[in-house]
Amino acid sequence: MEFDFLLDPDRLLLSIGYQVSVGALDPSCYDLLASEARLASFLAIAKGDIPARHWFRLGRTVTPVGNGAALISWSGSMFEYLMLPSS
């Protein structure tokens, strides 16, 4: 799979897809670190399809939890959190 055609050059994020009927990227982007977008981004960067600076464009929204913080995900499913490396 080639990822470079999915990169929105202005936002430096991966589009959610390509609309063949209009010949353009979908305007919506995957942009949250705590999601499946993280894996696609990691692979695309490792393959050299997109620049490494894309990684730092992924959102890292956090919320206070006790004395620390937790990443916020789209759905809060365990699937999303299990994809994150342990610290």
Side-chain angles (χ1 to χ4, degrees), residues 55-87:
W55 186 257
F56 300 100
R57 301 288 297 180
L58 294 174
R60 290 160 169 80
T61 305
V62 296
T63 188
V65 175
N67 292 329
L71 277 173
I72 305 243
S73 72
W74 283 319
S75 67
S77 71
M78 188 56 78
F79 169 76
E80 291 169 327
Y81 291 107
L82 289 174
M83 291 188 306
L84 295 172
S86 59
S87 47

Side-chain angles (χ1 to χ4, degrees), residues 17-30:
Y18 186 82
Q19 297 179 9
V20 176
S21 60
V22 295
L25 290 176
D26 191 287
S28 298
C29 291
Y30 285 118

